[in-house]
Amino acid sequence: MIQVAVMGHGVVGSGVVEVLENHRDSIAKRAKEEINIKYILDIREFPDSPYAQKFTKNFEDILNDEEVRVVAEVMGGVNPAYDFTKRCLEAGKSVVTSNKELVATKGAELLEIARNNNVNYLFEASVGGGIPIIRPINQCLAANEFVEIAGILNGTTNFILTKMIKDNMSFEDALRMAQQLGYAERKPEADVEGHDACRKIAILASLCYGKHIYPELVHTQGITKITLDDVAYAGAWGGVIKLIGQVMKLDDGRVDISVEPMILSRESQLANVDDVFNGILVRGDATGDVVFYGKGAGKLPTASAVVADIIDCVRNLKTRKFVYWEDGDASLVRPYEESAFPVMIRAKAEDKAAALKKAEELFGNVKAVSRSDEKEGEFAFTTGDIAVTSADAAVAELEKAGVTVLSKIRISDL
Ligand code: HSE
């Protein structure tokens, strides 16, 4: 029998315990060993839990117990998860986690420590919740060069945008609804400002390209400034607005990586990924596009991925799974300002025809987009590929000519 510990008894942690206990027999068959939870670490009291006798508030109980071979870190946040993970790995215990913040910020270091101690550090649950994505990239698609990965990686913002698009709900109302349904946190910044999606695309990029791409190198923009007017113009153009995390390999070896709201054509494979679902498109040079779809968050979907990693660790107690990337630095990433793509601009001017003419002068070939119920003086247009710096300069010039630019949203070719 293999003894394991679960650190954290929040939504995901309690799900991990539930799955391990409820599927005890089938998991034992798959792991070829019975798995027993010896400790659950949490600073809170759970006197009514059927597992009350397993709880400890003392991390040292887990660390110093040689019987514990695998630890699930489902606490979230960098501290104290980082210290606990490091010490478990150094003590020869494999660690599995759903903690994207920790993997995105300390992944290279923790993977190196795991390697030096001949144990595993696995994190399938850190991206896409219950959707298999880390293992497919690392194993099934390992023969490919990864041309591009693009995904809807955050369920909360996808729920909010879906409500805006389908039910004409404002951002604020949709956020409130997401909070009432338990999707969004009371402090929703990590989701709505794009930080959660940023950590996830940073993990996928590091895994694909073998060097750590740190979150602070990723241009990140959330959805807080998206309005129903933007949604309506995107609709009139034939698309939907989605928060996309995207990384592309460039010919010079660097990557282009960002998280930002993008307008996707309704024909795109990601355009119909709605509500709290996630969708991740992996473009391999041999496979072409492979798309992963499913529940990217929630208790049992995330627990499913954590428990699968526990099973993998138990099966590989004496061998290391090859999940690894080296440390990286800023030279790996092309500055966002140098990227070029088409944008949709929504603006306001007294003389719309003159403003569009000026836009044509500044942006080159533009196409006007009109919608029903257009507001007084409001108009929108799309551009061709334009570098971010040039687009910003053109926006400034347009404003000097008396036009109020209300929004600028990237148009994706996905
Ligand atoms: N807050 C995240 C989301 C949870 O909404 O997708 C899963 O990482």
Side-chain angles (χ1 to χ4, degrees), residues 97-257:
T97 189
S98 56
N99 189 338
K100 57 238 163 190
E101 191 176 355
L102 185 59
V103 179
T105 52
K106 302 284 184 189
E109 184 189 342
L110 294 170
L111 288 167
E112 183 66 24
I113 296 172
R115 183 157 88 158
N116 292 340
N117 288 280
N118 203 31
V119 288
N120 288 301
Y121 182 50
L122 304 181
F123 43 88
E124 182 62 67
S126 66
V127 182
I131 306 171
I133 184 68
I134 302 291
R135 220 170 250 93
I137 286 179
N138 203 49
Q139 290 179 209
C140 320
L141 299 171
N144 287 263
E145 288 293 325
F146 295 102
V147 178
E148 179 172 357
I149 296 188
I152 294 170
L153 300 167
N154 181 267
T156 303
T157 45
N158 203 37
F159 175 84
I160 293 171
L161 289 172
T162 304
K163 286 285 157 204
M164 292 174 77
I165 295 163
K166 297 208 160 156
D167 298 341
N168 208 33
M169 211 180 251
S170 70
F171 170 80
E172 290 74 19
D173 287 346
L175 171 59
R176 212 166 300 123
M177 187 179 217
Q179 285 169 321
Q180 278 158 6
L181 290 169
Y183 301 144
E185 311 270 340
R186 257 183 306 131
K187 286 186 179 168
E189 288 74 20
D191 290 319
V192 297
E193 299 291 359
H195 305 308
D196 176 77
C198 164
R199 291 167 190 144
K200 291 168 177 169
I201 196 69
I203 293 172
L204 295 181
S206 305
L207 188 67
C208 284
Y209 303 121
K211 298 239 166 132
H212 199 129
I213 293 171
Y214 288 94
E216 56 270 25
L217 300 174
V218 181
H219 169 85
T220 301
Q221 194 186 321
I223 62 163
T224 52
K225 295 195 175 76
I226 301 293
T227 64
L228 286 175
D229 295 316
D230 295 319
V231 167
Y233 275 108
W237 176 83
V240 287
I241 300 176
K242 295 283 182 189
L243 183 68
I244 300 291
Q246 178 172 285
V247 61
M248 284 177 279
K249 187 83 191 265
L250 303 172
D251 291 341
D252 64 11
R254 294 182 300 170
V255 298
D256 182 295
I257 183 166

Side-chain angles (χ1 to χ4, degrees), residues 177-378:
M177 187 179 217
Q179 285 169 321
Q180 278 158 6
L181 290 169
Y183 301 144
E185 311 270 340
R186 257 183 306 131
K187 286 186 179 168
E189 288 74 20
D191 290 319
V192 297
E193 299 291 359
H195 305 308
D196 176 77
C198 164
R199 291 167 190 144
K200 291 168 177 169
I201 196 69
I203 293 172
L204 295 181
S206 305
L207 188 67
C208 284
Y209 303 121
K211 298 239 166 132
H212 199 129
I213 293 171
Y214 288 94
E216 56 270 25
L217 300 174
V218 181
H219 169 85
T220 301
Q221 194 186 321
I223 62 163
T224 52
K225 295 195 175 76
I226 301 293
T227 64
L228 286 175
D229 295 316
D230 295 319
V231 167
Y233 275 108
W237 176 83
V240 287
I241 300 176
K242 295 283 182 189
L243 183 68
I244 300 291
Q246 178 172 285
V247 61
M248 284 177 279
K249 187 83 191 265
L250 303 172
D251 291 341
D252 64 11
R254 294 182 300 170
V255 298
D256 182 295
I257 183 166
S258 65
V259 171
E260 59 190 315
M262 294 188 197
I263 300 174
L264 266 58
S265 151
R266 286 202 190 93
E267 316 299 314
S268 163
Q269 303 221 54
L270 296 178
N272 295 310
V273 175
D274 285 332
D275 300 313
V276 283
F277 282 86
N278 284 191
I280 307 165
L281 182 150
V282 180
R283 188 166 288 166
D285 66 340
T287 53
D289 291 356
V290 182
V291 180
F292 298 84
Y293 171 84
K295 288 188 177 153
K299 178 176 173 170
L300 293 178
T302 311
S304 152
V306 174
V307 173
D309 276 350
I310 295 177
I311 294 171
D312 215 359
C313 285
V314 169
R315 277 183 185 158
N316 291 283
L317 283 175
K318 295 198 183 77
T319 45
R320 283 196 63 253
K321 304 279 297 175
F322 190 81
V323 185
Y324 186 73
W325 62 72
E326 292 170 9
D327 199 9
D329 57 48
S331 68
L332 299 168
V333 176
R334 174 169 76 182
Y336 177 74
E337 295 66 34
E338 292 173 22
S339 307
F341 42 78
V343 292
M344 176 181 282
I345 293 195
R346 183 169 66 83
K348 217 166 89 178
E350 274 179 24
D351 184 343
K352 286 199 307 193
L356 262 171
K357 196 155 172 277
K358 185 76 187 166
E360 182 108 8
E361 268 171 41
L362 293 165
F363 289 89
N365 216 0
V366 301
K367 283 197 187 112
V369 181
S370 53
R371 62 156 173 160
S372 52
D373 303 330
E374 219 150 53
K375 292 179 178 163
E376 179 74 28
E378 188 190 53

